[in-house]
């Protein structure tokens, strides 16, 4: 068994506008880092957390990273292993960018690598979903699956868990802005209606089928015109400051598409190159600052491979 | 302008189980034939209809074939043209196999070809949708679009009309059985609930995304396990005799998937070769005959090209 490891895991954009609960993609930045070290005593402890403004628990049973590593160790029959974890958060919590997923996935990828990869990446997904359950109340896979596998991921079904990696146009680039307002995932989920009109569902699944086709066909135009959400966005966008104006700004500045990342409040645009992404994030941040809303911005390619071992 | 033409247009399987209102495919058999001849008087008349048991109107203003040809002639600015039409129905009416679409598409393809193809196939779709409106009360495209374009077709959206041709595995084969019971499309539509659970919609769009991915990846396994319908089939299958037993018979005999064609009562299975298709249709027909239900069966490859000029 390896003595120590440092792992980066990527932020993720869940839903990808029209694919509520079934689509997600990973980005190169931001992301979280985990440093893991072997220790002589069995059990998992957290020794340090940075970048969280004191919001995350150091108690190993309550922290999603340590809890899912413990769960993993029980599953692979290694409760004898002792591990200490440092978590370095390099992305905002509660941003809608899969912050808890990035940490959990970094931890699981790290422990699996330290033990010589007894499980495949795909096999790690259910462990990360357990972590999501602890963090958000529901064990969804639309952040953890792309964080582990990289790229675009379709969760075809949950029971049984059936995950498909989708191709995408190489040039696809992302502009992400996190307006610093608080939208807890639990509340964002609660706002969504349980009953919907069949007519709207048909519109939505036409768009989902269009987006998936566009990804396979590497057709940016089809991708863009498929990324419309008549069901979730109209409700969730209420919690996001000046959402429709941000969309206008993104589209005027050359976005292929624009929408909410996960449950928000982060928003993102797809673009055809890094320059356009920079232009869009600058324009949106400028607008938010006029409204006295602080923000953080990221421009990033799609992350093709998922977590990365740094040392 | 050509003096006469004979055109075949294919039957179609709308919905393809999970893609209600957005997916359809064309098959090589059955299908309908139209013979069209130039006449000196302007206007469109029907001179003969065979194979319809007297169920279709000879009155040109009420027949969907002549009505859509007339509509087409007005649109292309040729109200001077005189046309007589023979319609030879070679497939059952009210079967859920796009019977009216096949006739309408044959007619539109014929007149367009006689005039030297002023419109593209894609441009013919709205004219055929007008015909559907006359025949079924709603102008859907999930039969007419594959009948015109051939292959698998996604109707990404209706407003604006946005149609995408999808690839499919070449070996894909279809077993179709029409149990001779009456299920009018209008009634089958009325049974469907207008409000659905979001949870079920998510399941459905996971399957749709899975089916589209499976078609692009030419992955028969993924295609099969994606073709599940939690919304429409549970309601529509009530009108189809011994639906669940027919599914069992199809699956036992090697089907990749099984479901209702359009609004039924025809059912279909995807298979990996013609022999399996024959085996399945035989077994299902045998079962139906034990129940004293007459049936017609077809085995067919996917129709790649849409309508065909016969002479």
């Amino acid at each position: 068994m390896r003595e120590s490891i440092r792992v980066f895991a990527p932020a993720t954009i869940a839903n990808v506008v029209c694919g509520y609960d079934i689509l997600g993609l990973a980005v190169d930045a931001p992301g979280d880092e985990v440093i893991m070290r072997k220790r002589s005593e069995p059990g998992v402890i957290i020794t340090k957390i940075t970048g969280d403004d004191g919001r995350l628990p150091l108690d190993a049973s309550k922290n999603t990273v340590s809890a899912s590593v413990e769960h993993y160790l029980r599953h692979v029959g290694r409760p004898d292993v002792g591990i200490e974890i440092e978590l370095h958060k390099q992305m905002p919590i509660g941003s809608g960018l899969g912050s808890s997923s990035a940490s959990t996935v970094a931890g699981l990828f790290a422990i699996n690598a330290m033990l010589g990869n007894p499980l495949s990446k795909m096999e790690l997904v259910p462990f990360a979903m357990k972590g999501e359950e602890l963090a958000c109340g529901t064990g969804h896979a639309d952040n953890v699956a792309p964080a582990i596998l990289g790229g675009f991921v379709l969760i075809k079904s949950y029971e049984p868990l059936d995950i498909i990696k989708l191709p995408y146009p190489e040039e696809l680039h992302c502009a992400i802005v996190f307006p610093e307002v608080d939208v807890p995932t639990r509340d964002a989920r609660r706002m969504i209606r349980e009953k919907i009109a069949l007519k709207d569902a048909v519109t939505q699944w036409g768009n989902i089928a269009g987006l998936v086709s566009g990804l396979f066909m590497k057709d940016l135009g089809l991708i863009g015109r498929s990324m419309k959400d008549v069901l979730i966005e109209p409700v969730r966008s209420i919690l996001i400051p000046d959402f429709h104006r941000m969309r206008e700004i993104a589209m005027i500045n050359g976005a292929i598409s624009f929408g909410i990342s996960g449950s928000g409040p982060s928003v993102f645009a797809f673009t055809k190159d890094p320059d356009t992404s920079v232009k869009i994030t600058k324009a949106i941040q400028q607008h938010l600052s006029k409204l006295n809303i602080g923000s953080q911005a990221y421009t990033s390619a799609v992350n093709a491979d998922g977590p990365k071992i740094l040392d």
Side-chain angles (χ1 to χ4, degrees), chain A:
Chain A
M1 184 180 162
R2 212 171 149 144
E3 285 298 315
S4 76
I5 199 167
R6 188 161 72 98
V7 166
F8 165 90
T12 41
I13 295 170
N15 301 344
V16 200
V17 179
C18 54
Y20 180 67
D21 275 0
I22 67 159
L23 288 177
L25 74 134
V27 288
D28 276 337
D32 281 345
E33 261 184 52
V34 156
I35 299 170
M36 200 172 268
R37 290 185 197 90
K38 202 173 145 181
R39 61 194 277 273
S40 45
E41 297 273 294
V44 183
I45 59 166
I46 306 266
T47 54
K48 195 185 202 176
I49 303 179
T50 65
D52 71 327
D53 294 326
R55 288 168 71 178
L56 298 180
L58 277 161
D59 178 343
S61 68
K62 287 179 186 152
N63 184 293
T64 60
V65 183
S66 41
S68 52
V69 169
E70 261 172 13
H71 182 60
Y72 168 95
L73 286 172
R74 275 197 305 279
H75 177 88
V76 297
R78 294 298 303 270
D80 59 301
V81 169
I83 288 291
E84 57 177 60
I85 297 172
E86 281 182 25
L87 171 59
H88 299 286
K89 291 218 62 80
Q90 294 166 1
M91 57 185 288
I93 296 167
S95 55
L97 293 168
S99 175
S100 64
S101 294
S103 303
T104 305
V105 164
L108 286 166
F109 190 84
I111 186 64
N112 196 47
M114 280 183 75
L115 294 175
N117 293 312
L119 299 191
S120 70
K121 280 184 174 189
M122 198 62 97
E123 288 168 333
L124 290 178
V125 175
F127 295 94
M129 285 171 71
K130 272 277 174 198
E132 284 294 90
E133 210 176 311
L134 191 61
C136 319
T138 41
H140 282 274
D142 48 358
N143 286 112
V144 292
I148 294 175
L149 302 169
F152 272 77
V153 170
L154 163 66
I155 299 108
K156 192 206 77 75
S157 68
Y158 279 88
E159 287 170 17
L161 191 63
D162 193 346
I163 292 173
I164 317 290
K165 275 205 77 168
L166 303 177
Y168 55 91
E170 261 174 46
E171 69 269 36
L172 202 66
H173 208 265
C174 306
I176 300 170
V177 177
F178 165 47
E180 291 169 344
V181 296
D182 218 23
V183 182
T185 304
R186 282 171 203 259
D187 294 356
R189 281 210 165 260
R190 266 188 216 124
M191 284 182 75
I192 293 167
R193 291 178 199 90
E194 280 174 19
K195 287 266 175 186
I196 60 172
L198 175 61
K199 190 178 64 64
D200 290 336
V202 171
T203 302
Q204 195 89 352
W205 62 56
N207 283 324
I208 291 165
L211 173 54
V212 172
S213 300
L215 291 171
F216 275 96
M217 295 161 78
K218 314 215 166 169
D219 179 336
L220 295 180
L222 178 54
I223 290 170
R225 61 185 199 271
S226 299
M227 286 172 66
K228 284 171 198 159
D229 173 4
V230 297
L231 290 171
I232 315 297
E233 184 180 285
V235 181
R236 281 192 170 161
S237 60
I238 297 166
L239 297 175
I240 297 172
D242 230 6
F243 177 78
H244 297 285
R245 182 65 193 133
M246 288 198 282
R247 159 167 290 151
E248 273 174 22
I249 294 170
M251 299 314 288
I252 288 166
N253 283 285
I256 291 163
S257 57
F258 176 87
I260 304 170
S261 176
S263 56
S266 288
V267 293
F268 76 103
F270 279 160
T271 72
K272 59 173 198 345
D273 56 53
D275 288 351
T276 310
S277 295
V278 170
K279 204 170 144 196
I280 289 170
T281 53
K282 273 192 184 162
I284 291 178
Q285 286 201 287
Q286 219 162 43
H287 178 71
L288 289 172
S289 74
K290 271 188 235 160
L291 304 174
N292 288 316
I293 296 167
S295 63
Q296 296 177 45
Y298 310 92
T299 61
S300 171
V302 177
N303 172 303
D305 304 313
K308 207 163 52 191
I309 296 174
L310 301 176
D311 346 278

